[in-house]
Amino acid sequence: MRPIVHAVAGTTAMLTIATFWASTLVSELILSQEAIVAVKHSIVAYGLVVLVLAMAVTGGSGFALAKTRKGRLLEQKKKRMPIIALNGILVMIPAAIFLNFKAATGEFDGLFYAVQVVELAVGVVQLTLMGMNFRDGLKLAGSYPK
């Protein structure tokens, strides 16, 4: 049961970040400022709760699963996790809250866009690292296609 919980939580976290990233990019490039405000509000008001819970369950279940395993793939996953966590806690969450505040007050200035670029860049890093963990998890489970 724990492997299923881990897989579902990890997939939920990845899809949530991908949704944040795509929604941000689409709203910024082709939609109105009102849409940007709605996206930023939705990310903070609803999405962060889903993401934080999914990441917590992923981390907790991953540590529980790792107790009975050893090996190179597991060590690589363990090395990525602190980077993923720190990026989320130190960059992604504060950036989302800041961008929501700026958007809600209509301040689409240089600082808004600078933070937006950082958030999008770190989002790509997060998705890459999480994707690598996902791949390695499939290998550990023997489910990775040959």
Side-chain angles (χ1 to χ4, degrees), residues 1 8 16 32-34 48 54 58 76 87 133 140:
M1 185 65 160
V8 169
T16 302
S32 65
Q33 284 190 343
E34 291 80 18
L48 286 182
T58 302
Q76 289 174 333
N87 280 346
N133 274 4
L140 284 166

Side-chain angles (χ1 to χ4, degrees), residues 18-31 36 39-40 43 116 119-120 124:
T19 300
F20 291 174
W21 199 91
S23 300
T24 293
L25 198 61
V26 168
S27 69
E28 291 287 350
L29 293 178
I30 61 175
L31 299 177
I36 296 168
V39 166
K40 296 301 168 197
I43 288 171
Q116 185 63 82
E119 183 187 49
L120 288 169
V124 169

Side-chain angles (χ1 to χ4, degrees), residues 26-136:
V26 168
S27 69
E28 291 287 350
L29 293 178
I30 61 175
L31 299 177
S32 65
Q33 284 190 343
E34 291 80 18
I36 296 168
V37 171
V39 166
K40 296 301 168 197
H41 172 75
S42 296
I43 288 171
V44 171
Y46 311 109
L48 286 182
V49 172
V50 172
L51 180 59
V52 169
L53 290 173
M55 291 299 290
V57 172
T58 302
S61 60
F63 281 114
L65 289 168
K67 287 182 181 177
T68 61
R69 292 185 167 243
K70 293 186 189 313
R72 180 184 56 83
L73 291 175
L74 186 61
E75 292 307 313
Q76 289 174 333
K77 285 181 66 133
K78 284 181 178 181
K79 286 180 183 176
R80 290 183 203 115
M81 284 311 299
I83 298 166
I84 292 168
L86 288 173
N87 280 346
I89 293 167
L90 299 177
V91 179
M92 301 296 286
I93 292 173
I97 293 167
F98 174 80
L99 292 168
N100 179 52
F101 172 77
K102 293 284 273 185
T105 58
E107 295 180 50
F108 297 97
D109 56 10
L111 184 57
F112 176 89
Y113 288 106
V115 172
Q116 185 63 82
V117 167
V118 169
E119 183 187 49
L120 288 169
V122 174
V124 169
V125 171
Q126 292 293 80
L127 288 170
T128 300
L129 293 172
M130 292 171 79
M132 292 166 76
N133 274 4
F134 193 92
R135 178 203 61 210
D136 290 347

